[in-house]
Amino acid sequence: MKLFKHIAIMCAIGLASLFVFVSLTNAAGLADRLSGRILLQVENHGEAWYISPDTGKRHYMGGAEDAYQLMRRLGLGVSNADFASFGDKAPQRLAGKILLKVEDQGKAFYVNPSDLSLHYLANGADAYQLMRDLGLGVKNTDLDQIPV
């Protein structure tokens, strides 16, 4: 009977370890799938989050001006020549990133990860409109899987 109890405990520990591994794998997979996206927390007043393609972490976007400042803070500098070479679409390696034209007054552009289109962010109002237009609704349980 003791042997059976020992085996049952070992199985339970093994299953718990497997569950933790699967949960962490799913969380990493979710962050990867949503990399560079703007998420709207539909169960919490539509609060906006940005998933950094560099870290896989989420960043709270707050109000319009906060969102604009966040995008500028997380932006990647790009030269005018490189930016001009993109044409209408950015290369895949820049999907979901915020680009700052460092030779052009730091103008900010968001690269939509779904189609690589470039969206100019002149000010906080533009950042807010971008959140509304391109934001993807997400449940709290899914959002909670992505680290802050």
Side-chain angles (χ1 to χ4, degrees), residues 59-128:
H59 299 269
Y60 180 63
M61 296 183 79
E65 192 56 35
D66 296 329
Y68 181 67
Q69 292 303 321
L70 172 78
M71 291 186 155
R72 294 190 64 80
R73 191 175 74 246
L74 297 177
L76 172 67
V78 62
S79 71
N80 286 349
D82 285 341
F83 191 86
S85 73
F86 301 158
D88 291 338
K89 295 187 182 232
Q92 180 63 43
R93 64 185 166 77
L94 298 176
K97 295 204 179 216
I98 296 110
L99 305 179
L100 301 176
K101 290 179 71 179
V102 294
E103 299 171 337
D104 191 4
Q105 301 173 351
K107 290 180 180 173
F109 292 81
Y110 172 71
V111 180
N112 184 349
S114 62
D115 64 4
L116 302 176
S117 59
L118 298 161
H119 299 268
Y120 179 51
L121 304 168
N123 52 41
D126 286 350
Y128 182 74

Side-chain angles (χ1 to χ4, degrees), residues 124-141:
D126 286 350
Y128 182 74
Q129 190 61 46
L130 180 79
M131 291 185 315
R132 293 185 60 183
D133 292 344
L134 299 180
L136 176 67
V138 64
K139 292 181 176 182
N140 290 350
T141 54

